[in-house]
Structure formats: structure tokens, C-alpha cells
Amino acid sequence: MGNLSRIGVSIDSELLHRFDSFIADQGYENRSEAFRDLIRDRLVGSVVIAPTALVVGTVTLIYNHHTRLLPEKLTDLQHESHAIVISTLHAHLDHENCLEVVLLRGKSKDVQKLADRLISTKGVQHGRLVMSSPETVSHHPHPHR
Ligand code: NI
């Protein structure tokens, strides 16, 4: 390990409690190691695909639509990047919560950037990008006819 840096993180108590239960189940002895592994996983996942590779991606978002201006912000972000947004699926889960799945297609770096902006928008409770590059994930090349 290189030089150690200490960071302070503000986290919702309920979320931290769930995180502690999760890492206990996984066998971690302390939070620091679990945080380091999560960060490494996230970094690895984002560099596997070359920045200019053409990819398709789905961004799954869960949010409370009563959060002030949140639905408008998410829609604005998608309009700003309309060239890479194929479609959006919206489901009203209950009185407050919405599930939105945004389909993206474009350069990996652009898809990643928009996904990061959507997921990091204040009020989004959970967000996840799943990205695939048809060129790099094809284990069984199909004959081109
Ligand atoms: Ni809704």
C-alpha cells in the first residue's frame, strides 16, 4: 500500500447500518477494507471499456418524485444529451417512489459521463449503470453474412 490518506465521509445512519451488516456477512473485519474494495471494484469496472468504444448502457434510477425539482433535473440532463439517449422507461412504484431506466448508446466516455450525472443528482436514492460493448463482450463471434 502507498501513503495512507484519511477521509471523512458523511453517510445516512440507516445506510451505514445496512453497510455494516453487509460487510459483516462478507467477513470484513473493519469498514476501511470494505470501502477500499468497493472503490477498487468501481474503478476497475469503469476502465475495462475504451473511452471511445461504442457501447450500449442502461441506467437504473430510483428516486422520490416529491423531491423538489428532481424529476425536472433528470429530464433536463437527458434532453441535454439527447443524441445518446435512446429511450426512457418510467414506472411509478408507489405514492412516492419512481423507477426510471434510461437506455443509452454512444461512446463509452459520454455514456459514463451522463450516467454519473444522473446517478449523482441530489435526491437519487439508488443508481446503477450497466454498460456493454458488443465488440468486447462477444465471446462467440457470429459469422457475418
Ligand atoms: Ni413516477
Side-chain angles (χ1 to χ4, degrees), residues 14-33:
E14 154 71 16
L15 182 61
L16 183 60
H17 182 72
R18 284 164 52 202
F19 182 70
D20 284 343
S21 301
F22 172 76
I23 65 177
D25 287 348
Q26 300 269 308
Y28 285 103
E29 304 205 340
N30 62 64
R31 285 177 187 152
S32 291
E33 188 53 35

Side-chain angles (χ1 to χ4, degrees), residues 4-111:
L4 280 178
S5 298
R6 281 188 165 275
I7 57 168
V9 178
S10 301
I11 187 166
D12 179 81
S13 303
E14 154 71 16
L15 182 61
L16 183 60
H17 182 72
R18 284 164 52 202
F19 182 70
D20 284 343
S21 301
F22 172 76
I23 65 177
D25 287 348
Q26 300 269 308
Y28 285 103
E29 304 205 340
N30 62 64
R31 285 177 187 152
S32 291
E33 188 53 35
F35 272 119
R36 285 193 287 270
D37 278 357
L38 281 182
I39 292 169
R40 284 188 204 106
D41 276 358
R42 185 65 179 77
L43 291 177
V44 167
S46 65
V47 297
V48 169
I49 298 173
T52 55
L54 285 178
V55 299
V56 290
T58 55
V59 184
T60 303
L61 304 168
I62 291 184
Y63 62 91
N64 183 323
H65 79 271
H66 291 143
T67 305
R68 204 173 108 71
L69 296 178
L70 179 56
E72 291 83 352
K73 280 181 202 156
L74 295 175
T75 301
D76 285 349
L77 283 170
Q78 293 177 53
H79 276 279
E80 281 171 27
S81 300
H82 63 87
I84 62 169
V85 177
I86 299 172
S87 179
T88 301
L89 173 74
H90 186 105
H92 311 299
L93 296 178
D94 54 35
H95 283 284
E96 288 90 33
N97 296 299
C98 300
L99 166 70
E100 199 155 296
V101 180
V102 187
L103 267 61
L104 304 174
R105 178 171 57 193
K107 286 181 185 162
S108 154
K109 61 179 179 184
D110 297 330
V111 166

